[in-house]
């Protein structure tokens, strides 16, 4: 019944867990695999009941001491519709020194290792502190599963306070990332025949001014000396991206609506509520009196793990890393922090090949991840401190 890490990875990538699809087949498989190995497993269904987080634990029940370790990753993947795949993206291809498939790197490779390590520990009875797994849904569309987990997790239930988020970092240790606030701005006009423009209100023209105002805000943000910028030498400010714009239905129709989607990435300690207000203050006058709404699509908090925390110190020593590192993508860890968890971003695979055709993970990385994560389990769940 038990599979090697590579065999398990092959099973996991075969589930099409693109965020737009249900992840229940994979969640059921993961739960069954871990249950068979002796883990305590629960599925936390999404509000629509079409997706689930999987929460599993082995070893003693978590107590108020919050000892132990959490291994966490997301089960969803980005769409695999881009051209350039050499083979079916949901079949694991064995190509020399690497495995290729959608999700091989981001991040089912880590999930396979975490599942097998938990399964092995469940059988060995060596754990003095709990080892927990938290596998989430909808990370790629705004860490929605992690947010739901944090909002639903009962305050009275303990979890280990140290967590590894196994996103691809090529097994270096990242202790910070920016957040990601995603907004949708909608301008409402009134449609009309374009030959009779006085009967309508064009929603696209003022949208141009709104984009201009956003660009102005972006330039302002780039000049501000925000706290924590030293951790992000490449982009030491709050980036704002006007990501999409959509409006109009035909060339002879006065457009009644235009939507603009904007992403903003606050640094650790920054406030997304304050950034939202700055967006509102910038775009409202620019719309020239046209009704405008700003919808928050998602808000992933930034992450900061203190450099002298036990987890950061341990992992840096383990991989002989001297420098402080941060990553430029948001993770579920931003949410988990709100449960008082110290989260390090640490996983196999290179982020540079994620979200691209022929996404791959080096076989060596999987082997190394197994060794390093296993040692971390020994440190936090077996040894007495
Ligand atoms: Zn990821």
């Amino acid at each position: 019944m038990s599979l090697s890490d590579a065999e398990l990875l092959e099973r996991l990538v075969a589930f099409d867990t693109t965020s737009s699809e249900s992840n229940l087949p994979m969640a059921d498989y993961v739960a069954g695999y871990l249950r068979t190995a002796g883990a305590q497993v629960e599925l936390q269904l999404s509000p629509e009941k079409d997706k689930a987080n999987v929460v599993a634990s082995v070893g003693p029940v978590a107590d108020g001491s919050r000892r132990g370790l959490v291994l966490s990753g997301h089960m969803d993947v980005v769409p695999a519709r881009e051209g350039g795949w050499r083979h079916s993206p949901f079949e694991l291809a064995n190509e020399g020194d690497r495995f290729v498939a959608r999700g091989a790197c981001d991040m089912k490779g880590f999930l396979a290792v975490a599942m097998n390590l938990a399964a092995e520990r469940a059988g060995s009875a060596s754990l003095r502190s709990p080892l927990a797994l938290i596998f989430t849904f909808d990370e790629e569309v705004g860490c929605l599963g992690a947010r739901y987990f944090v909002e639903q997790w009962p305050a009275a239930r303990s979890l280990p306070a140290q967590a590894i988020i196994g996103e691809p970092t090529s097994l270096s240790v990242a202790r910070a990332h920016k957040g990601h606030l995603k907004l949708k701005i909608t301008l409402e006009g009134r449609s009309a025949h374009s030959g009779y423009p006085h009967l309508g209100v064009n929603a696209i023209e003022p949208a141009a001014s709104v984009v201009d105002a956003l660009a102005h805000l972006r330039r302002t943000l780039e000049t501000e000396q925000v706290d924590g910028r030293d951790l992000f030498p490449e982009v030491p400010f709050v980036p704002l991206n006007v990501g999409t714009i959509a409006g109009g239905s035909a060339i002879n129709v006065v457009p009644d609506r235009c939507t603009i989607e904007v992403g903003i990435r606050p640094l650790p300690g920054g406030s997304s509520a304050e950034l939202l207000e700055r967006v509102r203050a910038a775009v409202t006058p620019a719309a020239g009196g046209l009704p405008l709404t700003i919808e928050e699509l998602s808000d992933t908090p930034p992450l900061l793990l203190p450099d002298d925390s036990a987890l950061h110190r341990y992992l840096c020593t383990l991989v002989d890393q001297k420098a402080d590192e941060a990553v430029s993508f948001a993770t579920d860890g931003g949410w988990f922090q709100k449960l008082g968890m110290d989260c390090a971003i640490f996983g196999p695979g290179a982020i540079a090949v994620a979200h691209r055709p022929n996404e791959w993970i080096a076989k060596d990385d999987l082997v190394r991840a197994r060794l390093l994560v296993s040692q971390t389990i020994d440190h936090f769940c077996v040894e007495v401190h």
Side-chain angles (χ1 to χ4, degrees), residues 74 76 105-107 139-140 166-168 329-331 351 354-355:
H74 58 85
D76 62 319
C105 164
D106 185 11
M107 55 181 290
E139 189 272 351
E140 296 288 4
E167 292 278 357
F329 50 89
T331 76
I351 193 66
H355 298 204

Side-chain angles (χ1 to χ4, degrees), residues 55-95:
V55 188
S57 76
V58 298
V61 174
D63 60 21
S65 74
R66 305 201 62 183
R67 287 203 186 90
L69 183 68
V70 173
L71 303 177
S72 180
H74 58 85
M75 293 180 280
D76 62 319
V77 295
V78 293
R81 288 189 295 271
E82 70 272 62
W85 281 90
R86 289 188 293 271
H87 61 88
S88 159
F90 298 106
E91 279 172 34
L92 194 73
N94 188 340
E95 297 187 356

Side-chain angles (χ1 to χ4, degrees), residues 257-340:
R257 153 187 281 258
C258 187
T259 60
I260 300 161
E261 290 179 318
V262 184
I264 310 175
R265 297 176 183 269
L267 275 70
S271 157
S272 56
E274 185 191 315
L275 287 164
L276 172 60
E277 283 320 305
R278 290 182 70 180
V279 167
R280 194 184 305 282
V283 302
T284 305
L290 203 68
L292 165 153
T293 56
I294 304 179
E295 181 191 349
E296 182 187 302
L297 298 175
S298 67
D299 179 18
T300 306
L303 174 78
L304 185 63
L305 173 68
D307 64 350
D308 61 351
S309 62
L311 182 62
H312 188 251
R313 284 205 321 256
Y314 177 77
L315 289 174
C316 285
T317 305
L318 188 64
V319 299
D320 196 21
Q321 178 181 320
K322 305 278 188 295
D324 263 2
E325 290 191 18
V327 289
S328 292
F329 50 89
T331 76
D332 287 341
W335 279 107
F336 293 151
Q337 245 178 178
K338 295 188 181 291
L339 292 176

Side-chain angles (χ1 to χ4, degrees), residues 148-331:
Y148 188 67
F149 176 81
V150 168
E151 287 171 350
Q152 298 295 315
W153 189 255
R157 276 186 80 181
S158 238
L159 277 169
Q162 319 288 326
I164 290 179
I165 314 296
E167 292 278 357
T169 62
S170 303
L171 292 166
S172 61
V173 188
R175 70 176 189 92
H177 63 62
K178 295 177 186 176
H180 200 188
L181 172 66
K182 298 183 189 172
L183 303 174
K184 182 178 188 171
I185 301 168
T186 303
L187 293 109
E188 301 276 0
R190 191 168 61 245
S191 64
H193 190 294
S194 63
Y196 302 85
H198 56 287
L199 300 179
V201 178
N202 190 312
I204 290 180
E205 283 183 8
S209 306
V210 166
V211 171
D212 221 32
L214 289 166
H216 186 263
L217 176 59
R218 172 182 65 73
R219 288 190 292 271
T220 304
L221 289 168
E222 287 173 3
T223 63
E224 290 176 359
Q225 307 275 305
V226 282
D227 289 344
R229 60 187 183 279
D230 296 349
L231 272 163
F232 303 92
E234 202 177 344
V235 184
F237 51 80
V238 176
L240 181 154
N241 183 49
V242 178
T244 74
I245 181 162
S249 57
I251 204 161
N252 57 356
V253 177
V254 176
D256 66 344
R257 153 187 281 258
C258 187
T259 60
I260 300 161
E261 290 179 318
V262 184
I264 310 175
R265 297 176 183 269
L267 275 70
S271 157
S272 56
E274 185 191 315
L275 287 164
L276 172 60
E277 283 320 305
R278 290 182 70 180
V279 167
R280 194 184 305 282
V283 302
T284 305
L290 203 68
L292 165 153
T293 56
I294 304 179
E295 181 191 349
E296 182 187 302
L297 298 175
S298 67
D299 179 18
T300 306
L303 174 78
L304 185 63
L305 173 68
D307 64 350
D308 61 351
S309 62
L311 182 62
H312 188 251
R313 284 205 321 256
Y314 177 77
L315 289 174
C316 285
T317 305
L318 188 64
V319 299
D320 196 21
Q321 178 181 320
K322 305 278 188 295
D324 263 2
E325 290 191 18
V327 289
S328 292
F329 50 89
T331 76

